């Protein structure tokens, strides 16, 4: 059975036989020896293979190896006299599995721009930075489940195909067979689309099981071709019964600290790469989020601070307008210099399901803002009162009959409940320091672009 390089470098079983497989990064020949560095994707580091002319295929195969070739190697691990590495593998057998033409293989031993790599979605995971992103993303995904399972949340797989528009923005991809001629022929009996959120369905299960979460792909047909937007992205959406806004903020804060700490603890080499080459000071920024108390102000207080700021913003600041990324970053980076929770937004700019406050003008909503990115979590206490929810839906122009099931949740055993959404790619972007969100998802989908 082959061993992963990550485990070899961790355990360093010097003098023991080892078998592994991977892809060639470099080959250097010296006299009757070849020094071959291979990587198997398990970690950032390569392992040096020492192959000599005593191997039967040394001249025919090994000396022809080029970057990108795949190999299987067996041998004995030994201490390395070279600087920068503790061990190397003395090969007793090296089999070439697949070759890579050096004239056409596009990933050579040099730094490539992320824009260039975006055009090679099928090969870019082989690079140091994108491989590190993949490992950190995987670890964060694991930590998400670990966090909620430790707290007795039940995972719910909410539908990807939905007949309800949670955000009410109409930015949904319509699902169609292409054969329908009229409403009577809809495949699902009515118009359906790809989900923008699993929240409404998660509420169904929260009001039966208590605390639940859904974590999966969501879609938005928004024609935004920017470094912050994707058409397909993953959302984490916990929903808690018998929970008000304060409890909602507490679990969101605890979760963020948990996830950031987990990534730094379990992916140290990858995180150091991001800190050194992608965003200087990244680790200090993340430690600040983990260690500091989150500040808390209301939306009205935030607007007041922004209006008094001695700074020119691109977007206007006025009570009743949504905060933009530049406003959010200014507040978290320059005013409070720490993570910030903003609550009690105007009802007019928030979805129908958010609980109306006693002032009748604002809702029990909250956004968590972090330095370097702005909003990373958005949530609210849900409106549990039937009459208030009905009035909000009518005001928003929502067809009540289409949401009869949602209204039933308020007719039969309604309770205070709340939840939030975390855009997973935005979290990965924050943790890795990547400037463009397309670098933190394996196959980015955006207007005009759907590689692989």
């Amino acid at each position: 059975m082959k061993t992963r390089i990550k485990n070899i470098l961790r355990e360093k079983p010097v003098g023991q036989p080892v078998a592994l497989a991977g892809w060639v990064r470099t080959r250097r020949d010296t006299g009757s020896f070849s020094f071959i560095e291979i990587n198997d994707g398990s970690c950032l580091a390569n392992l040096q293979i020492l192959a000599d002319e005593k191997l039967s295929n040394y001249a025919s195969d090994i000396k022809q190896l080029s970057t990108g070739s795949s190999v299987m190697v067996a041998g004995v691990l030994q201490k390395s006299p070279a600087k920068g590495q503790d061990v190397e593998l003395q090969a007793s057998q090296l089999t070439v599995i697949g070759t890579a033409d050096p004239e056409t293989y596009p990933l050579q031993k040099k730094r490539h721009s992320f824009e260039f790599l975006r055009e090679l979605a099928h090969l870019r995971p082989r690079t140091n930075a994108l491989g590190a992103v993949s490992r950190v993303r995987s670890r964060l995904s694991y930590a998400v489940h670990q966090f909620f399972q430790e707290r007795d949340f039940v995972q719910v797989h909410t539908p990807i195909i939905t007949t309800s528009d949670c955000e009410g923005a109409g930015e949904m991809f319509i699902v169609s067979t292409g054969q329908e001629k009229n409403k009577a022929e809809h495949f699902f009996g009515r118009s359906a689309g790809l989900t923008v959120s699993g929240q409404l369905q998660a509420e169904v299960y929260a009001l039966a099981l208590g605390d639940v979460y859904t974590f999966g792909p969501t879609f938005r047909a928004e024609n935004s071709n920017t470094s912050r937007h994707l058409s397909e992205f993953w959302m984490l959406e916990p929903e808690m019964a018998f929970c008000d806004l304060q409890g909602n903020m507490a679990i969101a804060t605890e979760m963020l600290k948990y996830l950031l700490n987990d990534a730094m603890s379990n992916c140290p080499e990858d995180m150091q790469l991001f800190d050194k080459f992608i965003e200087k000071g990244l680790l200090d920024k993340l430690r600040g989020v983990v260690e500091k108390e989150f500040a808390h102000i209301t939306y009205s207080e935030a607007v007041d601070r922004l209006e008094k700021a001695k700074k020119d913003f691109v977007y206007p600041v006025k009570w009743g307008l949504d905060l933009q990324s530049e406003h959010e970053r200014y507040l978290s980076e320059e005013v409070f210099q720490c993570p910030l929770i903003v609550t009690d937004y105007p009802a007019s700019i928030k979805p129908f399901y958010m609980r109306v406050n006693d002032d009748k003008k604002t809702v029990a909503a909250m956004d968590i803002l972090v330095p370097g990115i702005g909003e990373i979590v958005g949530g609210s206490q849900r409106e549990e009162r039937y009459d208030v929810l009905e009035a909000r839906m009518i005001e928003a122009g929502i067809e009540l009959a289409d949401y009869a099931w949602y209204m039933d949740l308020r007719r039969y055993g309604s309770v205070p409940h709340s939840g939030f959404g975390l855009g997973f790619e935005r979290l990965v972007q924050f943790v890795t320091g990547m400037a463009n969100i397309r670098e933190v998802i394996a196959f980015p989908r955006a207007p005009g672009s759907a590689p692989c």
Side-chain angles (χ1 to χ4, degrees), residues 62-77:
I62 295 172
K63 289 200 70 174
Q64 312 306 315
L65 282 173
S66 58
T67 300
S69 303
S70 56
V71 297
M72 293 188 71
V73 188
V76 175
L77 199 68

Side-chain angles (χ1 to χ4, degrees), residues 286-422:
L286 297 180
R287 290 189 194 104
V289 175
V290 172
E291 296 167 2
K292 292 180 181 178
E293 292 295 321
F294 288 19
H296 177 198
I297 60 172
T298 65
Y299 166 87
S300 297
E301 291 169 334
V303 169
D304 184 59
R305 295 258 190 167
L306 292 166
E307 288 178 333
K308 293 177 180 178
K310 296 179 180 179
K311 184 179 181 67
D312 293 326
F313 296 111
V314 175
Y315 293 95
V317 176
K318 182 181 177 183
W319 201 98
L321 297 180
D322 208 354
L323 301 182
Q324 301 297 318
S325 178
E326 60 173 340
H327 307 142
E328 296 167 342
R329 291 189 59 179
Y330 171 76
L331 290 168
S332 62
E333 294 171 20
E334 299 185 41
V335 177
F336 290 92
Q337 299 180 346
C338 69
L340 172 66
I341 304 177
V342 181
T343 61
D344 304 310
Y345 284 78
S348 59
I349 62 173
K350 289 297 184 180
F352 67 90
Y353 52 75
M354 295 188 176
R355 193 181 200 277
V356 179
N357 290 327
D358 293 341
D359 62 12
K360 310 297 184 185
K361 297 190 305 181
T362 62
V363 290
M366 67 94 177
D367 286 343
I368 298 181
L369 317 180
V370 292
I373 200 166
E375 180 196 339
I376 196 166
V377 168
S380 72
Q381 185 173 336
R382 315 312 190 190
E383 184 56 78
E384 84 279 10
R385 298 165 294 185
Y386 185 97
D387 57 337
V388 179
L389 179 61
E390 182 181 51
R392 286 273 284 156
M393 294 175 74
I394 291 172
E395 182 183 357
I398 294 173
E399 184 61 52
L400 295 180
D402 292 341
Y403 291 81
W405 61 272
Y406 190 67
M407 300 296 289
D408 274 354
L409 300 177
R410 277 70 180 171
R411 295 176 63 202
Y412 307 127
S414 183
V415 302
H417 59 290
S418 63
F420 60 85
L422 167 72

Side-chain angles (χ1 to χ4, degrees), residues 147-148 153 238 240 245-259 294 341 366-368 376-379 419-422:
F147 176 84
F148 287 107
F153 279 66
M240 293 82 72
L245 187 65
Q246 294 301 316
N248 196 26
M249 292 189 293
I251 195 73
T253 300
E254 184 184 1
M255 180 204 68
L256 268 181
K257 290 175 178 285
Y258 182 99
L259 296 180
F294 288 19
I341 304 177
M366 67 94 177
D367 286 343
I368 298 181
I376 196 166
V377 168
F420 60 85
L422 167 72

Side-chain angles (χ1 to χ4, degrees), residues 15-20 73-78 88-94:
Q16 298 297 312
V18 170
L20 63 137
V73 188
V76 175
L77 199 68
Q78 59 187 26
E88 61 186 14
L89 186 65
Q90 174 69 57
S92 58
Q93 183 178 1
L94 191 154

Side-chain angles (χ1 to χ4, degrees), residues 2-274:
K2 63 184 176 66
T3 305
R4 300 287 272 169
I5 290 177
K6 177 181 179 179
N7 296 326
I8 292 174
L9 297 179
R10 178 190 297 158
E11 299 164 8
K12 300 183 177 65
V14 173
Q16 298 297 312
V18 170
L20 63 137
W23 291 268
V24 174
R25 288 293 178 86
T26 64
R27 190 198 88 237
R28 176 171 55 88
D29 301 324
T30 303
S32 59
F33 292 90
S34 289
F35 298 95
I36 306 159
E37 288 200 7
I38 71 170
N39 188 281
D40 65 359
S42 64
C43 62
L44 183 63
N46 303 325
L47 182 66
Q48 180 167 280
I49 310 299
L50 181 60
D52 62 32
E53 61 182 1
K54 296 177 183 176
L55 296 174
S56 60
N57 61 340
Y58 181 73
S60 60
D61 293 339
I62 295 172
K63 289 200 70 174
Q64 312 306 315
L65 282 173
S66 58
T67 300
S69 303
S70 56
V71 297
M72 293 188 71
V73 188
V76 175
L77 199 68
Q78 59 187 26
K79 290 185 178 180
S80 174
K83 289 184 179 180
Q85 60 186 30
D86 295 328
V87 293
E88 61 186 14
L89 186 65
Q90 174 69 57
S92 58
Q93 183 178 1
L94 191 154
T95 305
V96 179
I97 305 300
T99 60
D101 185 351
E103 297 297 321
T104 60
Y105 186 63
L107 301 179
Q108 296 303 316
K109 192 181 178 182
K110 64 177 182 178
R111 295 187 68 178
H112 300 285
S113 72
F114 291 126
E115 291 79 7
F116 170 75
L117 293 175
R118 238 174 271 145
E119 299 173 3
L120 299 170
H122 58 298
L123 294 175
R124 69 176 188 166
R126 300 187 185 189
T127 63
N128 286 341
L130 275 299
V133 168
S134 299
R135 287 186 292 271
V136 170
R137 180 183 173 114
S138 175
R139 182 67 210 187
L140 284 169
S141 177
Y142 176 84
V144 162
H145 293 291
Q146 188 169 253
F147 176 84
F148 287 107
Q149 294 292 333
E150 287 174 354
R151 287 154 183 79
D152 294 324
F153 279 66
V154 176
Q155 184 182 12
V156 178
H157 294 131
T158 53
I160 289 176
I161 297 174
T162 183
T163 57
S164 58
D165 182 0
C166 177
E167 300 299 324
E171 296 171 336
M172 296 174 68
F173 290 100
I174 302 301
V175 175
S176 169
T177 65
Q179 305 300 315
E180 301 95 335
K181 297 182 179 64
N182 52 57
K183 289 184 177 181
E185 296 185 2
H186 279 308
F187 187 86
F188 296 102
R190 57 188 294 192
S191 180
L194 298 180
T195 186
V196 298
S197 169
Q199 177 208 309
L200 301 188
Q201 289 83 3
E203 286 187 54
V204 171
Y205 276 79
L207 295 181
L209 304 180
D211 296 339
V212 303
Y213 71 103
T214 179
F215 184 31
T218 54
F219 309 83
R220 181 162 293 170
E222 180 181 0
N223 193 19
S224 295
N225 206 338
T226 76
S227 62
R228 289 169 51 84
H229 292 88
L230 290 168
S231 299
E232 178 183 347
F233 50 98
W234 280 60
M235 284 290 291
L236 167 64
E237 297 174 292
E239 198 72 28
M240 293 82 72
F242 303 99
C243 181
D244 61 11
L245 187 65
Q246 294 301 316
N248 196 26
M249 292 189 293
I251 195 73
T253 300
E254 184 184 1
M255 180 204 68
L256 268 181
K257 290 175 178 285
Y258 182 99
L259 296 180
L260 300 188
N261 190 61
D262 187 273
M264 289 188 287
S265 298
N266 290 289
C267 304
E269 295 86 3
D270 292 327
M271 294 303 300
Q272 286 165 10
L273 177 142
F274 298 133

Side-chain angles (χ1 to χ4, degrees), residues 423-439:
F424 192 60
E425 281 71 32
R426 191 162 292 185
L427 171 69
V428 180
Q429 194 177 7
F430 179 61
V431 170
T432 61
M434 285 290 175
N436 195 308
I437 201 167
R438 299 186 193 192
E439 265 65 86

